[in-house]
Amino acid sequence: MPIEKTPEENAILFVWFNHYAGVLIKTPSKTLIIDPVDIRARSFPDADAVLITHEHYDHLDPRLIAEIQKATKCTIIADPASTQRLKHAIPPEKLQQIRPSEEIKVGEVSVKAEKCNHPAAEPVTYIITSEDGVKIFHTADSLPYPELAEIGEKEKFDVVFCTVGIAPGTSPDTGFEIARLTKPQVAVPYHTNSTDYQQQFAQMIKQELPRTACLIPELNKIYQVTKRK
Ligand SMILES: [Zn+2]
């Protein structure tokens, strides 16, 4: 990181950069950073937007966000509790609060918030749709919840990030349940420092979801995902 290359048409690039929900997504036109912590601001010289899911320490670092914003002039999109915490550090015209079912455009890229089943103030998950229609679901620290099935059916996700550890109540099983409900083309186990947990998740996908591929990411490595046919 930063990613020098640009994704091919109908594709996105992503990098998982910490043991939590830290993900960089690059579409052909925009670079989005989600929940940056435990990383230097200079890793993101071309950020167009930073997205924050909730106010917990492993997702929100106001000082780091202010530093990224100052260097790049990017937009910050955040849940209400994080917006409160960022108010004094970010120029008001660059800070946008979001709640479930609201949508904010970053150029031609759509960022839509959905519900997040996690014990924080008003946490959100993010559906990101690239300018050529690649669909990414960043589920933050969420545990499964029934509406995910409907969301998955409607959106037809290319990539879903599934929490498999660290957060309260989460495990490879709850991560798998998110994949089972949303049925993406590619499921990515994250929010863990256990490769065992990621392997357990991969096993369940292989046995029970033959049409979903599991991608176990390595930290700071670039992956490309192409829109499903
Ligand atoms: Zn977390």
Side-chain angles (χ1 to χ4, degrees), residues 17-220:
F17 57 77
N18 62 25
H19 288 289
Y20 308 112
V23 175
L24 178 153
I25 291 166
K26 189 161 180 177
T27 79
S29 69
K30 299 289 178 201
T31 299
L32 277 53
I33 318 295
I34 306 165
D35 286 355
V37 301
D38 290 357
I39 192 157
R40 290 168 194 275
R42 64 166 183 259
S43 302
F44 310 118
D46 50 4
D48 294 293
V50 174
L51 279 45
I52 305 300
T53 61
H54 63 290
E55 74 282 12
H56 291 163
Y57 75 95
D58 56 330
H59 298 260
L60 173 68
D61 177 347
R63 192 178 293 182
L64 172 64
I65 295 166
E67 222 179 302
I68 296 170
Q69 204 284 325
K70 215 170 163 191
T72 61
K73 309 291 172 224
C74 69
T75 299
I76 313 296
I77 299 170
D79 63 282
S82 302
T83 300
Q84 280 305 315
R85 299 263 312 269
L86 290 165
K87 246 168 53 186
H88 304 288
I90 307 294
E93 73 278 10
K94 291 293 186 184
L95 179 58
Q96 293 190 267
Q97 175 176 284
I98 197 164
R99 282 199 167 91
S101 86
E102 292 176 351
E103 182 189 12
I104 291 174
K105 285 295 199 93
V106 180
E108 289 174 47
V109 176
S110 157
V111 173
K112 190 180 175 213
E114 280 291 349
K115 178 178 153 179
C116 179
N117 179 12
H118 179 63
E122 291 180 78
V124 296
T125 59
Y126 285 111
I127 297 173
I128 297 155
T129 309
S130 76
E131 58 269 50
D132 34 30
V134 182
K135 291 260 180 191
I136 302 138
F137 194 15
H138 183 284
T139 66
D141 282 15
S142 192
L143 286 163
Y145 57 89
E147 300 92 305
L148 286 174
E150 212 176 295
I151 296 171
E153 197 159 312
K154 177 172 163 229
E155 302 286 350
K156 307 216 173 357
F157 292 115
D158 294 296
V159 193
V160 176
F161 290 90
C162 307
T163 288
V164 298
I166 303 175
T170 63
S171 66
D173 297 86
T174 63
F176 169 74
E177 185 59 14
I178 288 179
R180 194 186 67 78
L181 289 165
T182 55
K183 297 186 176 46
Q185 180 196 170
V186 179
V188 180
Y190 78 157
H191 208 280
T192 184
N193 38 38
S194 160
T195 43
D196 274 3
Y197 279 12
Q198 291 177 309
Q199 292 294 349
Q200 287 175 35
F201 175 92
Q203 268 307 320
M204 287 184 263
I205 298 277
K206 203 173 157 192
Q207 284 166 2
E208 296 179 49
L209 290 181
R211 300 175 70 178
T212 294
C214 176
L215 193 169
I216 296 182
E218 274 176 49
L219 284 180
N220 300 317

